Amino acid sequence: MFSISWLILLLTFLFGSVISQTNVDVQTLYTHLFTTNNYNKLVRPSRNQSYPNYLYVSFNLYGISGIDEIQQKLTTTGYLEIEWVDELLSWTPSQYGGLSYILYPQGDVWKPDISLQNGFSKLEDLGSKFISVNIDSSGHVIWRPFHVFESKCDIDSTYFPFDRQTCHLYFVARSLSERDVRLKRGSGIELVDDLQSHGEWNIVSTSSLNLRNQYETKVRFTIVIQRKPLYAIMNYILPIILLSILGVFTFTIPVDTGERIGYVITVWLAFAVFLTIINDSLPKSSETIPIVSIYIMIQISIGTLIVIISAIESRFVHLSDHEPVNTILLTFAQKCRKRRVQPETEIKKCMERDETCVTWKEAITALDKFLFWICLSFFVFSTMISLSIAGSK
Ligand SMILES: *[C@@H]1O[C@H](CO)[C@@H](O)[C@H](O)[C@H]1NC(C)=O
């Protein structure tokens, strides 16, 4: 008990000047500032109106709530911290019981009409009625309007899903010219300690810049974000690569069974489905084409080629063995033949016909084998190239 009362005494002694202010002091100050001085919130708070007001703008980011790739929209949650000096709102603390700062509703003091220039939805007032500004005895005002900012962000999906996007937020004083106010970046973008993480995007870096032209000054905040690729790899990239492998194995199905065309058409359709899915989740743009779309297009083209080749092959495989085998096919067949032992009867049959002794079926099988290796190498090559280009970013 003894020590606590000592502590209270000590605190009263140390902070006496701060806590000695009364409600009457606050009320007197309000009356002095806003009634006696006849404060008008429409007047720019500079005693000499030839001087502009300097506004320091910083951005405190709570997190990214979402990125809409189709609409090219970035949604961020946070608050701006705008500071300026209101020369008409200053007092001497000692006259008001040591009162060093007051809070006042944002709608009742002069404030700049700062807004997001590259906003996505209609122009809105920053903050809201219940937000107060903090005014200290030297007239230094801090306004912290909280807002969910929806800004336009150009999405470049070339390197999807390893893409990195740079999004800008431009803040400008809508109707105040450069002669009235100067916007300056304060401490840039500050990420709050308990930053909300986003499932798909990581914030890589942030920066800020003062921009100025003849008519207006503005502050640009930049957020660089990187996609976390795991989701897209598991759901788009791996299935597409597996499908491509299936396409290559078309040539291991004998063409005379008639299964092959059905098989390759199915693979072709699956590619078309994936192309639709990918394109539905990326912005529709003719300026940049995602590498993954190009990759799918290449695989679809190869699929088409395989269908055509299979159709022609299935026609030839049913040709009578009395027809002479095409010379190019013949070379393939003879190359492959060395290792193969032919049934006795077949050799006899073809010996009667001519000395090369290659049947159509044999020739087609040899061609399939060759095409299989061609397709496999092309698959490996195109996949490696695509992955390395997309991943190099
Ligand atoms: C305001 O500032 C300008 C520029 O310094 C000066 O010429 C002018 O006299 C000042 N006006 C008043 C009323 O002090």
Side-chain angles (χ1 to χ4, degrees), residues 48-51:
N48 184 340
Q49 295 277 317
S50 316
Y51 292 123

Side-chain angles (χ1 to χ4, degrees), residues 281-306:
S281 59
L282 294 178
K284 292 174 179 46
S285 159
S286 290
E287 283 159 20
T288 58
I289 301 170
I291 290 169
V292 60
S293 298
I294 297 176
Y295 180 76
I296 295 180
M297 270 323 296
I298 291 175
Q299 301 301 333
I300 286 186
S301 314
I302 292 176
T304 311
L305 258 178
I306 294 178

Side-chain angles (χ1 to χ4, degrees), residues 247-268:
V248 170
F249 278 85
T250 312
F251 288 112
T252 59
I253 303 173
V255 72
D256 55 347
T257 59
E259 297 278 328
R260 192 198 272 186
I261 298 212
Y263 172 88
V264 72
I265 288 278
T266 313
V267 174
W268 197 99

Side-chain angles (χ1 to χ4, degrees), residues 142-157:
I142 302 178
W143 177 35
R144 297 190 180 94
F146 176 87
H147 210 85
V148 177
F149 297 101
E150 290 186 334
S151 56
K152 177 100 175 68
C153 176
D154 292 330
I155 304 283
D156 175 3
S157 54

Side-chain angles (χ1 to χ4, degrees), residues 100-347:
S100 62
Y101 75 93
I102 55 169
L103 297 174
Y104 212 72
Q106 71 165 37
D108 295 335
V109 293
W110 179 89
K111 62 182 174 50
D113 54 351
I114 289 181
S115 59
L116 184 63
Q117 193 180 37
N118 59 336
F120 210 84
S121 37
K122 74 178 173 53
L123 192 64
E124 282 175 334
D125 205 8
L126 279 190
S128 88
K129 280 198 197 89
F130 62 80
I131 290 182
S132 291
V133 297
N134 183 316
I135 308 166
D136 79 5
S137 58
S138 56
H140 181 224
V141 183
I142 302 178
W143 177 35
R144 297 190 180 94
F146 176 87
H147 210 85
V148 177
F149 297 101
E150 290 186 334
S151 56
K152 177 100 175 68
C153 176
D154 292 330
I155 304 283
D156 175 3
S157 54
T158 310
Y159 299 100
F160 174 87
F162 304 102
D163 49 339
R164 182 176 275 208
Q165 309 295 343
T166 304
C167 297
H168 303 295
L169 286 94
Y170 293 91
F171 287 99
V172 63
R174 209 35 53 207
S175 39
L176 295 162
S177 76
E178 194 246 3
R179 278 184 20 236
D180 302 319
V181 293
R182 302 270 162 83
L183 259 65
K184 299 271 176 203
R185 67 199 168 99
S187 48
I189 296 189
E190 280 182 30
L191 307 178
V192 299
D193 292 336
D194 53 345
L195 186 76
Q196 300 160 1
S197 68
H198 190 268
E200 211 183 346
W201 296 91
N202 260 337
I203 297 177
V204 179
S205 65
T206 58
S207 59
S208 58
L209 190 71
N210 293 325
L211 295 173
R212 183 177 174 176
N213 67 26
Q214 212 175 333
Y215 310 104
E216 58 185 15
T217 57
K218 53 188 169 188
V219 175
R220 187 184 80 184
F221 294 108
T222 306
I223 304 175
V224 181
I225 50 176
Q226 168 101 45
R227 192 190 297 271
K228 300 175 186 167
L230 189 64
Y231 177 82
I233 289 179
M234 296 302 285
N235 291 285
Y236 307 134
I237 306 301
L238 272 185
I240 289 168
I241 291 179
L242 294 178
L243 266 182
S244 315
I245 296 176
L246 286 187
V248 170
F249 278 85
T250 312
F251 288 112
T252 59
I253 303 173
V255 72
D256 55 347
T257 59
E259 297 278 328
R260 192 198 272 186
I261 298 212
Y263 172 88
V264 72
I265 288 278
T266 313
V267 174
W268 197 99
L269 286 177
F271 268 124
V273 170
F274 268 98
L275 190 64
T276 316
I277 294 176
I278 293 259
N279 286 347
D280 275 352
S281 59
L282 294 178
K284 292 174 179 46
S285 159
S286 290
E287 283 159 20
T288 58
I289 301 170
I291 290 169
V292 60
S293 298
I294 297 176
Y295 180 76
I296 295 180
M297 270 323 296
I298 291 175
Q299 301 301 333
I300 286 186
S301 314
I302 292 176
T304 311
L305 258 178
I306 294 178
V307 173
I308 295 171
I309 292 174
S310 302
I312 296 174
E313 278 185 356
S314 65
R315 158 142 173 65
F316 281 130
V317 84
H318 292 299
L319 279 184
S320 142
D321 281 339
H322 295 296
E323 304 268 347
V325 174
N326 179 297
T327 39
I328 301 170
L329 287 183
L330 209 59
T331 350
F332 281 128
Q334 282 165 341
K335 286 244 170 68
C336 296
R337 168 179 239 178
K338 286 173 224 148
R339 273 160 281 150
R340 203 179 302 145
V341 183
Q342 277 202 326
E344 202 59 30
T345 49
E346 243 179 79
I347 292 180

